[in-house]
Structures are given as C-alpha cells and as structure tokens.
Amino acid sequence: MKTVKDVSEISGVSIRTLRYYDEIGLLKPTELSDAGYRLYDNKALERLQEIMFFKELEIPLEDIKKIMDSPNYDKEQALLTQKNLLEQKRNRLNGIIELISDVMKGVNTMSFKAFSNEEIQEILDHMLGCMSKELLKQQIQKYGSEEKYREYLATGFSNEQAIADVFKLKSIKSLWKQKKLAMLM
C-alpha cells in the first residue's frame, strides 16, 4: 500500500490533486489507515494512470469519471482509442513541425497537407456508420444536422468535450476493432 505522498512522488500528481480526486469520487483510496491517511494499492495506481491518459487528451474530470464508472467501460478499448488519438495528434504535429523546418530553411513550399484532417474524417465516417440509428438521431437533434455534428466531432480532436463524447459512444468498441483490423490488412 502506498500513501498519498508516495503516489504523488511516483506519478507527479500533487497531493492536493489526489485529495480532490478522492473528494469528487474519481480516485478513491483503497483504504484509510488507523490514523486516517489515504492508502492506495496497485489497482488504484492503475486507475490513476488511466485518469492521466484521459487528461492528456484534455477530457474534463467530470467526463473521465462518467466514462470510467460506466458499466460499459472497456479498459482495453479505451487504451486503444487513446493511443490512436494521441498518435494522430503526434503525426499531425510532426507534419506541422517538418513544414516549419522547411520554411525556416528557405524551402519555398505552399503545402497545407500538414493541416489536413483526412484521417479524422475517415474515423468519423466509420464511427457514424457504427452508431446506432437512435444514438445518431439524438446527436442530430442535439446539433441540428449530421453535418454540424460531424463538424463538432472533427473539431473535437482539440475539444475535450467532443473527445469525451467519442469515448461515451456505445459503439466505440466495434469502431476500433474494425479500425485495428483495417490497419493490419
């Protein structure tokens, strides 16, 4: 068992933040010592790591709690989704960095490919195809049209609420299984 101080040192998460996570029910200590100190086991540390992965995608704590506490939460699928989203973010940033380097070297290029969101659009196409008709209908009602919903999700790769919505989709498991299979072919 690890104390709050130990967990803070291991994770880099402040003691104050760990206390706050306990207050909001996001990360409860495994048990309390006789003196009332919070103690965490390895399972709690795994949950903290998962929380940190979600935070890296800038998902609000409230949504992280809803996602992780959902009876449909699938840790493996969440990790696969997080990995894919972070890889896309990295690839996009690498492309922009390379473009900046070329411009700084004096390369006369007017390429805008680094700003393309083609991969995101492919994921959205597939995701919307996997959604139940009922869920898609709810989202269309909420956003006014399918196109507006797509725009919301596309901008969501820099919008924490939209990313949280992606994780909340019941069909996310089949989306990433199919995406994974497509990548292997």
Side-chain angles (χ1 to χ4, degrees), residues 17 50-51 75 137:
T17 298
E50 289 177 67
I51 292 165
K75 179 180 174 178
K137 184 178 176 182

Coordinates of all heavy atoms in Angstrom, one line a residue, residues 17 50-51 75 137:
T17 N -4.2 17.4 -5.6 CA -5.0 16.9 -6.7 C -5.5 15.5 -6.3 O -6.7 15.2 -6.6 CB -4.1 16.8 -8.0 OG1 -3.8 18.1 -8.4 CG2 -4.9 16.1 -9.1
E50 N -4.8 5.5 -15.8 CA -5.9 5.7 -16.8 C -6.4 7.1 -16.8 O -6.7 7.7 -17.9 CB -7.1 4.7 -16.5 CG -6.7 3.3 -16.8 CD -7.9 2.3 -16.4 OE1 -8.9 2.4 -17.1 OE2 -7.7 1.6 -15.5
I51 N -6.6 7.7 -15.6 CA -7.1 9.0 -15.5 C -6.1 10.0 -16.2 O -6.5 10.9 -16.9 CB -7.3 9.4 -14.0 CG1 -8.4 8.7 -13.4 CG2 -7.5 10.9 -13.9 CD1 -8.4 8.7 -11.9
K75 N -11.6 -1.1 -20.6 CA -10.3 -0.5 -20.4 C -9.4 -0.7 -21.6 O -8.8 0.2 -22.1 CB -9.6 -1.1 -19.2 CG -8.2 -0.6 -18.9 CD -7.6 -1.2 -17.7 CE -6.2 -0.8 -17.5 NZ -5.6 -1.4 -16.3
K137 N -29.6 9.7 -34.3 CA -30.7 10.6 -34.3 C -30.7 11.6 -33.1 O -31.0 12.8 -33.3 CB -32.0 9.8 -34.3 CG -33.3 10.7 -34.4 CD -34.5 9.8 -34.4 CE -35.8 10.6 -34.4 NZ -37.0 9.8 -34.3

